[in-house]
Amino acid sequence: MDATLPTPEIGHTATAASLAGREGFDEQFLGIPVPVPALPGVETVLLPYTHFSVLMRPDKRLAAITALGIDGAKLMDLDRSGIDWRLDPRLPEDQQTGERVYARNDIDRGHLVRRASAVWGDTRAEAATANEDTFHYTNAAPQAAKFNQGLELWLGLESYLLENAADNGRRLIVFTGPIFSDVDPVYRGVEIPLRYFKVAVFLHEGALAATGYVVDQTPQLADLDDVSKPGAVGDAVGDDAPR
């Protein structure tokens, strides 16, 4: 089966210079410092993009955390046509997960920073750059298609947060990432996280407030014949993932 899969990319279509000047996530986005969470004792690499940053875990070849600022008053409606997924040239290819994991199966390249949530700015050019930046594989994680596109699962949660920002013209910070565990199934050399988290940070009456969410894709992964059956997350962490 592997012989039919895409071969690893030898070169990058983009260069590190093409991403120069990206400012990444703004810790002062809400007027009160909100830093990107750190992972003490774990090797990570912070990659800045337009309006967001990705804290990569090279050992997992996936992001540990993404940090995004959403300006609901400046959101723009741009489409995704003609934008291809690409590797980030600032990171070695063997430290990120590329097309080989997503080819010829029902596993989606699940955006961690949702494309539509990053597409804002003072100009259309700024929003367009953010649009393209979300299509780096560093911003993707393997998700079962039914999970990624589920209105009551990942897509539904993303839409809820985006609509809240847009309808109220407010600013939100969203941290997103996988919850790695010892029972994550290994597929084509990459561990597929069973659960993902999102934390939304905002101002409420002048003070910081936050809500957190955990979403579990174990049932959807179990339906995929070519993925080893996931372990029992509840047994590994002591409780079941909330709805």
Side-chain angles (χ1 to χ4, degrees):
M1 179 178 71
D2 285 351
T4 66
L5 298 176
T7 56
E9 297 182 37
I10 298 175
H12 296 288
T13 57
T15 64
S18 68
L19 292 170
R22 297 295 196 271
E23 297 182 355
F25 170 70
D26 179 6
E27 296 185 354
Q28 297 288 338
F29 190 69
L30 297 180
I32 300 175
V34 181
V36 179
L39 279 72
V42 177
E43 180 186 356
T44 56
V45 178
L46 186 64
L47 300 172
Y49 298 96
T50 304
H51 304 150
F52 68 97
S53 294
V54 174
L55 188 69
M56 283 291 294
R57 277 194 59 168
D59 62 324
K60 299 290 187 180
R61 297 174 57 197
L62 295 170
I65 300 169
T66 62
L68 165 71
I70 306 175
D71 191 331
K74 296 180 180 179
L75 287 165
M76 298 187 188
D77 185 14
L78 303 183
D79 64 38
R80 58 185 293 170
S81 60
I83 304 177
D84 296 325
W85 284 91
R86 79 268 332 242
L87 296 170
D88 190 311
R90 299 171 295 184
L91 197 64
E93 293 177 9
D94 61 1
Q95 294 182 11
Q96 49 189 313
T97 296
E99 183 59 24
R100 187 176 179 84
V101 172
Y102 304 101
R104 301 176 180 86
N105 54 33
D106 287 325
I107 297 177
D108 281 357
R109 311 170 195 85
H111 276 83
L112 295 175
V113 168
R114 189 184 184 188
R115 182 192 69 83
S117 298
V119 180
W120 59 268
D122 293 319
T123 65
R124 186 178 181 87
E126 179 184 350
T129 300
N131 195 16
E132 293 194 6
D133 279 1
T134 64
F135 284 90
H136 284 89
Y137 280 112
T138 48
N139 184 43
Q143 296 181 344
K146 290 181 179 180
F147 173 82
N148 181 45
Q149 301 171 31
L151 291 177
E152 295 182 354
L153 295 167
W154 195 246
L155 177 59
L157 174 57
E158 291 181 319
S159 298
Y160 167 74
L161 294 177
L162 180 61
E163 290 166 5
N164 187 269
D167 291 347
N168 295 288
R170 71 189 309 176
R171 287 189 163 206
L172 292 178
I173 287 174
V174 180
F175 297 118
T176 305
I179 301 175
F180 297 111
S181 77
D182 293 337
V183 295
D184 293 339
V186 177
Y187 179 71
R188 296 179 183 173
V190 174
E191 297 175 23
I192 300 183
L194 298 181
R195 302 194 298 176
Y196 290 86
F197 73 87
K198 278 188 181 291
V199 175
V201 185
F202 50 92
L203 292 179
H204 178 67
E205 298 181 352
L208 286 177
T211 58
Y213 310 85
V214 174
V215 191
D216 185 5
Q217 69 166 339
T218 303
Q220 290 74 39
L221 283 177
D223 292 339
L224 303 183
D225 293 335
D226 52 350
V227 177
S228 60
K229 297 309 175 187
V233 174
D235 293 341
V237 300
D239 61 351
D240 292 330
R243 292 179 61 83

